[in-house]
């Protein structure tokens, strides 16, 4: 009988990138080994590049066999969750309100929003990705059974209806909208 073992692997497209002192890098895989630990999504700054080794400002050096990184000057809103930065630039023509909140709330000091269609962006921000919980659905179904004359659509209530914008983007709010 063969004993199976788990072998970690990752799939990446290899390409050469220039790395210089001061560059921000986005680490793209977890690594735990003696003398080095990396977390997928971690942003680091290059301290030095000597003889093919990359030293980081936090004192670590990337092992020669750890090459799962890219430049880290821009990240998606999804990848930015849990991180805080000084300045945020959001580039979008459409974005659901929860994702916009994640992107916009990452910045400490400044936010800029760049879009080619401010009306479309504003409309899309009124759309929520939130789904009702099982308890909310059960309650709504129970109400529809108790009041069948209202019809199912009416009984489902506001949580099942498309949401409307709860805020408006305008220059008075301090957002920088660019076309």
């Amino acid at each position: 009988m063969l004993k199976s073992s788990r072998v970690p692997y990752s799939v990446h497209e290899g390409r050469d990138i220039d790395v210089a002192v001061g560059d921000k890098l986005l680490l793209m895989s977890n690594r735990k080994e003696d003398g080095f630990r990396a977390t997928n999504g971690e942003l680091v700054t290059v301290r030095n590049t000597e003889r093919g080794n990359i030293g980081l400002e936090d004192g670590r050096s990337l092992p020669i066999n750890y090459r799962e990184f890219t430049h880290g000057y821009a990240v998606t809103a999804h990848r930015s969750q849990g991180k805080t930065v000084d300045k945020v630039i959001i580039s979008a023509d459409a974005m659901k309100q929860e994702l916009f909140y994640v992107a916009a709330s990452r910045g400490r000091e400044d936010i800029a929003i760049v879009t080619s269609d401010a009306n479309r962006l504003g409309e899309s921000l009124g759309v929520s990705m939130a789904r009702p919980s099982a308890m909310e659905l059960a309650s709504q179904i129970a109400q529809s059974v108790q009041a069948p004359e209202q019809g199912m659509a009416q009984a489902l209530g506001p949580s099942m209806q498309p949401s409307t914008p709860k805020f408006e983007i305008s220059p008075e709010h301090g957002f920088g909208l660019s076309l």
Side-chain angles (χ1 to χ4, degrees):
M1 183 164 140
L2 290 174
K3 183 178 180 182
S4 66
S5 62
R6 292 182 54 156
V7 177
Y9 67 91
S10 59
V11 178
H12 296 274
E13 179 183 344
R15 63 183 170 95
D16 292 336
I17 63 171
D18 293 325
V19 176
V21 173
D23 278 354
K24 300 280 188 199
L25 299 178
L26 173 66
L27 306 184
M28 297 175 63
S29 71
N30 294 325
R31 179 74 67 93
K32 292 179 188 175
E33 59 187 46
D34 290 340
F36 183 72
R37 174 172 275 182
T39 303
N40 182 13
E42 184 177 356
L43 290 168
V44 296
T45 304
V46 176
R47 181 187 62 206
N48 61 51
T49 57
E50 297 172 1
R51 296 181 303 274
N53 292 321
I54 299 173
L56 306 177
E57 281 190 350
D58 63 12
R60 293 179 293 169
S61 292
L62 296 181
I64 196 74
N65 66 348
Y66 183 86
R67 292 298 183 244
E68 290 138 34
F69 60 84
T70 189
H71 288 114
Y73 292 103
V75 296
T76 65
H78 290 96
R79 193 176 278 277
S80 74
Q81 285 188 290
K83 295 180 178 25
T84 303
V85 295
D86 291 334
K87 300 174 191 289
V88 172
I89 301 171
I90 299 173
S91 176
D93 288 340
M95 186 180 274
K96 304 282 193 259
Q97 61 187 230
E98 291 86 357
L99 189 58
F100 181 82
Y101 173 79
V102 169
S105 63
R106 302 302 95 192
R108 272 188 216 104
E109 299 171 6
D110 199 17
I111 179 176
I113 301 166
V114 181
T115 185
S116 63
D117 191 337
N119 290 330
R120 182 173 167 214
L121 178 60
E123 288 171 9
S124 72
L125 292 177
V127 178
S128 172
M129 295 184 303
R131 297 179 296 181
S133 70
M135 293 299 292
E136 290 171 324
L137 282 174
S139 173
Q140 292 166 358
I141 290 170
Q143 288 173 3
S144 72
V145 170
Q146 291 171 357
E149 68 278 355
Q150 291 180 343
M152 188 63 137
Q154 217 174 8
L156 287 177
S159 67
M160 293 296 289
Q161 304 300 320
S163 61
T164 56
K166 294 181 175 49
F167 53 87
E168 184 178 300
I169 298 176
S170 67
E172 293 83 33
H173 291 101
F175 292 111
L177 289 176
S178 302
L179 295 176

